[in-house]
Amino acid sequence: MKKINSPFLVAIFLLTTFFAKSQTIDYAYKQLSTTSCNIFASTAIVDNYNHLTTLSRPKYSDNSILLDCKANNSTSVLSTIYSIGYSFKVGYRYKISVYYKGVRDPADGFFPSVGLKISTTNGGTDAGSSCVSPFSYLLSNANLFIQGASGSGYAWANNLLDVTITQAADYLLVGAFRWPTTTHLASVYIRKIQIVETPPPPSFTLPSTTNVPCSSPVTFIVTTASNPSNLPITNYTWNLGATPNGWKYNGNPAPQTVSTGATNNILLTPNTGTLSNVSATVTAGGNNYNTNTSTVSTSAPALSIAGNSTFCTSATYSIPNLPAGTSVSWSASPGGIVLLVNASGSQVTANKSNAGIFNLTATITGCGTPFTISKNNITAGVPSAGDVWTSADQSLILQSWAEGRNYICGNTDVHFHIGGATSASQYSFIAGNLSSTPYFDGWDMVFHMDSGGWATFAVNVTSGGCNETLHYDFQAINCPYLNYYRVSPNPATSDVTIYIDEEGLKKQKVEKSSEQSIRQITITDKFGNTILQQSYPADTRKARLNVNSFSTDFYVIKVFNGKKWTSLKFMKK
């Protein structure tokens, strides 16, 4: 093959090779019969293309295909049409030109008309049996026609048909007809037909959406959706958004655009802030083609806080596999239970301030939108799991010093119990103005308080390997009827009912309110372990629970009304 040196010739070569393909069917000097009245009555091959009569009788004369627009003496206006087998591809553009001449009707001076149609069928085969087909077939179905084709000699009708194919087709119909209606004869001689086929431009795509796990590198890849001309791809330019765009490229904050040459992918790493969407421009055959935009979203990684769920004085917590480039802030709630120290990224130490149960939360930034993870219900030391009730039918959740003072009604006997404290030696009276000596009844510490009285007790408890001395303050006040709840039967054998004491409310002239509802019930054993828990809809005033499976012992029923807890005590037989 001769080497092409001229830049102009190289450009022409690329244009014709990678863009348009021109094909010409030349009827001149072909071995076609000049005596046949229908040269395409059966399939004939001209320049490698199948030809077949569709309507009337194509002939061969003057090295051209002769199409008579009227072939008999009837008054009907007739057409002559033949089909060329050609594979028309969806998305391709076709320009079709015809080199022809028209013969004027000597009677009225009109030239015939020429029509072209791209068709899914060959339009039917007449096989030259007669000239009885109306010209309206071509007129109504042709993609384009020249009305009154002119010229005494051969000339090109350039781009007679210029169309982009939306449905695959296999035939080009070529025809001529007489217009307007007349009984006279007119003819068309077709010497050449040129078909210029231009493929659609190449198409390149990115994934429509890209999910980026926090701080994890992600590779964007351009896919060639179509490139029918096999255009050589010389460059990919990536549009990463105006800076700062949240991306890192090669370890540095990414610029707005990055070129990767002929490599169709790019590796990006989240940096900080919101990540910009990504698109690319592909240079193929010297032209630029834009991809779609890949919409970027970030997702939190599957992280958790590792560490003990219980500790006595101190514990260290960490986040395994924390993504690089992220930062962590730690918090604990409720306050006053632990002090967080030595926070260093993925690790923190919790030192107990007061016994209790708390939640540890880590807020992680550096993944676009900050997100949190938590480790809940961590027990620091021995929590104040206990109950208090009085002879005045008042039952409250017991509070330690860390939680607050226990206010009760005066002139009552007080019973209080701490889970894990099983003997009198574990309870110590510290100070107060009690009117009687406290005593241990085998389960409760019992004492009497007059109105205005107060007392402080210390309870030494060993639980879960931890030893704690918990302090409790009691203050007696003048108070109205407070406990709305009752439990029946008590002792119970199989079922127990917790309900609002409606009669007691009437006697005390206490109006009904939302505070008298039952929203949740928890039953614990004497060690504070939860045995049963049940939630209820608003305005529930009676609940029945099955305790048949409970062992014979004392139990505490805790009732929550949506704002506060109240304790009741019952025995299971």
Side-chain angles (χ1 to χ4, degrees):
M1 179 181 289
K2 184 177 180 180
K3 185 176 181 181
I4 301 175
N5 294 315
S6 168
F8 175 74
L9 292 178
V10 170
I12 294 297
F13 174 75
L14 289 176
L15 180 65
T16 57
T17 301
F18 298 115
F19 288 91
K21 180 176 67 174
S22 178
Q23 301 169 83
T24 299
I25 303 173
D26 190 345
Y27 297 110
Y29 307 108
K30 295 298 189 291
Q31 294 180 353
L32 297 174
S33 172
T34 58
T35 59
S36 173
C37 67
N38 188 355
I39 58 172
F40 300 140
S42 59
T43 301
I45 299 176
V46 180
D47 288 343
N48 298 317
Y49 293 96
N50 290 338
H51 289 59
L52 185 66
T53 297
T54 296
L55 297 174
S56 196
R57 300 172 182 176
K59 302 178 181 65
Y60 188 63
S61 177
D62 193 19
N63 287 309
S64 302
I65 305 302
L66 170 60
L67 304 179
D68 288 332
C69 301
K70 184 167 181 62
N72 63 11
N73 294 321
S74 70
T75 58
S76 299
V77 178
L78 304 177
S79 310
T80 301
I81 306 172
Y82 66 96
S83 67
I84 300 173
Y86 189 96
S87 179
F88 293 93
K89 304 169 188 174
V90 174
Y92 282 60
R93 182 181 181 184
Y94 293 89
K95 293 183 178 181
I96 303 176
S97 303
V98 178
Y99 187 66
Y100 79 107
K101 71 175 180 179
V103 178
R104 188 191 302 269
D105 188 319
D108 54 21
F110 283 103
F111 283 98
S113 297
V114 177
L116 299 177
K117 176 181 173 59
I118 294 175
S119 175
T120 57
T121 67
N122 68 356
T125 302
D126 177 53
S129 58
S130 63
C131 296
V132 296
S133 302
F135 81 96
S136 59
Y137 175 84
L138 190 61
L139 179 63
S140 61
N141 290 280
N143 295 96
L144 186 68
F145 67 93
I146 301 175
Q147 183 171 320
S150 62
S152 58
Y154 286 94
W156 279 105
N158 292 318
N159 302 332
L160 177 59
L161 184 62
D162 185 349
V163 63
T164 298
I165 298 299
T166 59
Q167 180 182 2
D170 295 313
Y171 299 94
L172 173 66
L173 303 186
V174 183
F177 55 90
R178 188 69 174 80
W179 182 268
T181 301
T182 179
T183 59
H184 301 115
L185 179 67
S187 301
V188 169
Y189 292 82
I190 296 178
R191 177 73 53 85
K192 298 178 184 179
I193 296 177
Q194 182 189 59
I195 303 175
V196 178
E197 177 184 278
T198 304
S203 174
F204 304 94
T205 62
L206 283 167
S208 58
T209 60
T210 300
N211 181 268
V212 183
C214 171
S215 295
S216 298
V218 60
T219 299
F220 291 86
I221 302 174
V222 172
T223 299
T224 301
S226 66
N227 187 8
S229 297
N230 294 317
L231 300 180
I233 299 173
T234 56
N235 189 58
Y236 292 84
T237 300
W238 299 87
N239 184 0
L240 309 181
T243 58
N245 49 41
W247 293 108
K248 276 186 178 181
Y249 177 65
N250 287 340
N252 298 310
Q256 183 168 349
T257 59
V258 173
S259 173
T260 58
T263 301
N264 70 333
N265 60 79
I266 187 171
L267 178 66
L268 300 175
T269 303
N271 189 12
T272 57
T274 302
L275 300 176
S276 293
N277 298 330
V278 174
S279 63
T281 299
V282 183
T283 303
N287 293 313
N288 292 330
Y289 303 92
N290 295 324
T291 69
N292 60 304
T293 297
S294 185
T295 302
V296 175
S297 62
T298 57
S299 61
L303 300 176
S304 61
I305 299 174
N308 293 332
S309 296
T310 61
F311 64 89
C312 296
T313 59
S314 180
T316 297
Y317 297 90
S318 63
I319 305 174
N321 304 315
L322 184 69
T326 58
S327 60
V328 183
S329 60
W330 296 89
S331 61
S333 63
I337 296 177
V338 295
L339 177 65
L340 300 180
V341 297
N342 300 328
S344 58
S346 64
Q347 185 169 290
V348 71
T349 298
N351 291 334
K352 186 198 68 157
S353 299
N354 292 286
I357 298 175
F358 69 98
N359 299 326
L360 182 63
T361 299
T363 300
I364 301 170
T365 57
C367 298
T369 302
F371 66 96
T372 62
I373 57 175
S374 298
K375 186 177 182 66
N376 297 327
N377 299 320
I378 303 173
T379 300
V382 178
S384 56
D387 300 280
V388 59
W389 53 92
T390 75
S391 58
D393 292 327
Q394 180 188 16
S395 298
L396 301 171
I397 298 298
L398 191 62
Q399 300 183 103
S400 67
W401 266 358
E403 299 166 326
R405 189 179 295 269
N406 296 280
Y407 291 99
I408 61 175
C409 294
N411 301 315
T412 61
D413 291 326
V414 179
H415 300 249
F416 85 96
H417 173 78
I418 301 299
T422 59
S423 65
S425 62
Q426 293 175 280
Y427 293 83
S428 302
F429 175 66
I430 304 300
N433 58 354
L434 298 179
S435 59
S436 64
T437 301
Y439 66 93
F440 188 70
D441 69 355
W443 195 49
D444 301 334
M445 178 57 66
V446 184
F447 57 91
H448 185 84
M449 294 195 72
D450 294 327
S451 295
W454 65 277
T456 299
F457 285 84
V459 185
N460 184 266
V461 181
T462 299
S463 177
C466 301
N467 182 268
E468 290 284 345
T469 298
L470 307 174
H471 290 78
Y472 299 88
D473 282 342
F474 296 90
Q475 179 70 52
I477 60 173
N478 292 321
C479 55
Y481 183 79
L482 292 179
N483 186 12
Y484 310 130
Y485 306 103
R486 291 290 181 270
V487 55
S488 178
N490 192 5
T493 55
S494 58
D495 294 302
V496 64
T497 300
I498 298 92
Y499 59 95
I500 303 297
D501 184 9
E502 308 289 359
E503 292 298 323
L505 293 176
K506 289 180 181 179
K507 290 178 180 179
Q508 296 293 326
K509 297 182 180 180
V510 178
E511 295 183 359
K512 290 184 177 181
S513 71
S514 60
E515 293 185 359
Q516 300 160 10
S517 65
I518 299 173
R519 300 300 302 275
Q520 184 174 315
I521 292 176
T522 299
I523 298 180
T524 63
D525 62 18
K526 61 186 179 184
F527 300 107
N529 300 312
T530 299
I531 307 301
L532 185 150
Q533 186 169 298
Q534 181 68 52
S535 298
Y536 300 91
D539 299 326
T540 298
R541 298 178 73 84
K542 179 184 288 188
R544 186 176 182 180
L545 298 173
N546 187 293
V547 296
N548 187 59
S549 62
F550 287 21
S551 301
T552 299
D553 209 336
F554 286 98
Y555 294 90
V556 175
I557 298 175
K558 299 177 181 181
V559 183
F560 184 61
N561 68 356
K563 294 182 179 180
K564 64 179 182 179
W565 291 89
T566 301
S567 294
L568 305 169
K569 181 180 178 183
F570 83 99
M571 181 179 181
K572 168 62 170 59
K573 289 183 178 180

